[in-house]
Amino acid sequence: MNNGLADPLAIRVTGLRTAFGDKVIHDNLDLEVRRGEILGVVGGSGSGKSVLLNTILGLQQPDAGHVEVFGEDMGRSQGDVQRRIGVMFQQGALFSFLTVLQNVEAPMLEHTRLAPGFMREAARLKIRLAGLPAHAADLRPAELSGGMRKRAGVARAIALDPDILFLDEPTAGLDPIGAAEFDALIRDLRDTLGLTVFMITHDLDTLYAVCDRVAVIADRKIVTTAPLHELEQSDHPWIRDYFLGPRGRAAAEQQDSI
């Protein structure tokens, strides 16, 4: 097992097989995520994007194969690696009865022994890093707009200064302006905090705006992982339909014009 110190990979998935009864979701799936990159993960409905995410996080046990995060086998002992991981689920998954500040403090209370005053200031810093105004700290999720809830979810996800940030459909439900602002936030957080970002998304604008590479799930495995300009040259039918269809072309043209 690699100790993760000199490994250029943040995540290594090999020979992954997952199934629910007779339905096989992944079969011999391999994936490598490089440190410091923003990796987009795409695939058709039912292709197992969220199942892959949950398997990497250790929430779903595979039927075969291995998942390593920073060289640690997630199937054996997750150890301290969970503290190096931040997750923003699709709807934010915030505690509705807590304020934003309390939501961000929750991981700190569970995993650290910080003094209350220091913890509060650290949480307020993460809220600012997520692009929320200071007064949002005292609001509950129901008092936030959809975009603000997502930013609050990011603030909580980075509460413990993770090395990897997992995002599940981060721009779903946002208007184009809000989605573009969220894209910029993710790019800035990666650059500022040195994060590796694993992002499930179907948003073509997001893929073109922020992703260094894109992994495509099809045929029960990762059929390719490559920068977008290489994917545009692919002869795989699903990839061509997805990236070279009208919406894909429009997203590419919009990015080229920036």
Side-chain angles (χ1 to χ4, degrees):
M1 181 185 301
N2 192 293
N3 62 17
L5 295 178
D7 194 341
L9 298 180
I11 301 170
R12 180 185 286 105
V13 180
T14 54
L16 188 70
R17 177 182 172 85
T18 52
F20 298 103
D22 295 332
K23 182 175 178 60
V24 178
I25 307 300
H26 304 134
D27 190 16
N28 199 31
L29 181 149
D30 296 330
L31 175 66
E32 294 182 343
V33 183
R34 300 166 182 166
R35 290 181 185 240
E37 76 172 335
I38 300 178
L39 179 78
V41 178
V42 301
S45 178
S47 61
K49 300 182 294 295
S50 293
V51 174
L52 176 59
L53 171 62
N54 289 335
T55 303
I56 294 172
L57 292 174
L59 302 175
Q60 167 78 35
Q61 293 301 310
D63 295 279
H66 299 280
V67 176
E68 292 184 7
V69 178
F70 297 119
E72 186 165 342
D73 190 336
M74 298 294 282
R76 293 183 180 179
S77 172
Q78 296 174 20
D80 292 334
V81 75
Q82 289 290 358
R83 290 190 56 178
R84 303 177 68 182
I85 291 173
V87 186
M88 193 205 82
F89 292 103
Q90 189 168 151
Q91 301 302 325
L94 299 168
F95 297 116
S96 61
F97 55 90
L98 298 180
T99 65
V100 170
L101 181 66
Q102 291 167 332
N103 267 282
V104 179
E105 288 178 328
M108 300 180 187
L109 285 167
E110 181 178 357
H111 295 286
T112 74
R113 297 182 179 179
L114 296 174
F118 186 86
M119 185 184 304
R120 191 170 301 113
E121 289 308 309
R124 291 188 184 278
L125 172 61
K126 301 305 165 62
I127 290 169
R128 291 196 297 273
L129 284 173
L132 287 169
H135 75 271
D138 300 318
L139 301 178
R140 287 181 168 80
E143 301 174 283
L144 303 175
S145 67
M148 291 176 73
R149 279 196 297 273
K150 289 180 181 291
R151 288 175 182 268
V154 169
R156 190 176 65 181
I158 63 174
L160 298 178
D161 298 319
D163 295 303
I164 304 179
L165 180 61
F166 289 88
L167 304 171
D168 188 3
E169 298 287 2
T171 57
L174 297 181
D175 62 63
I177 295 174
E181 291 175 344
F182 199 90
D183 290 342
L185 169 66
I186 297 307
R187 188 170 54 243
D188 290 345
L189 287 176
R190 188 276 302 270
D191 295 343
T192 302
L193 303 179
L195 294 169
T196 300
V197 179
F198 178 105
M199 175 168 52
I200 294 174
T201 184
H202 68 278
D203 191 328
L204 283 157
D205 289 331
T206 294
L207 292 169
Y208 276 95
V210 303
C211 291
D212 299 301
R213 295 191 303 154
V214 176
V216 180
I217 304 179
D219 309 322
R220 302 176 178 173
K221 62 188 67 179
I222 302 290
V223 293
T224 189
T225 305
L228 280 158
H229 69 271
E230 293 183 18
L231 291 180
E232 292 172 348
Q233 309 304 314
S234 174
D235 58 3
H236 189 282
W238 190 90
I239 295 175
R240 291 190 64 81
D241 288 345
Y242 193 80
F243 289 100
L244 298 181
R247 291 188 178 185
R249 291 196 300 271
E253 290 169 0
Q254 178 177 340
Q255 189 61 28
D256 288 341
S257 67
I258 296 177

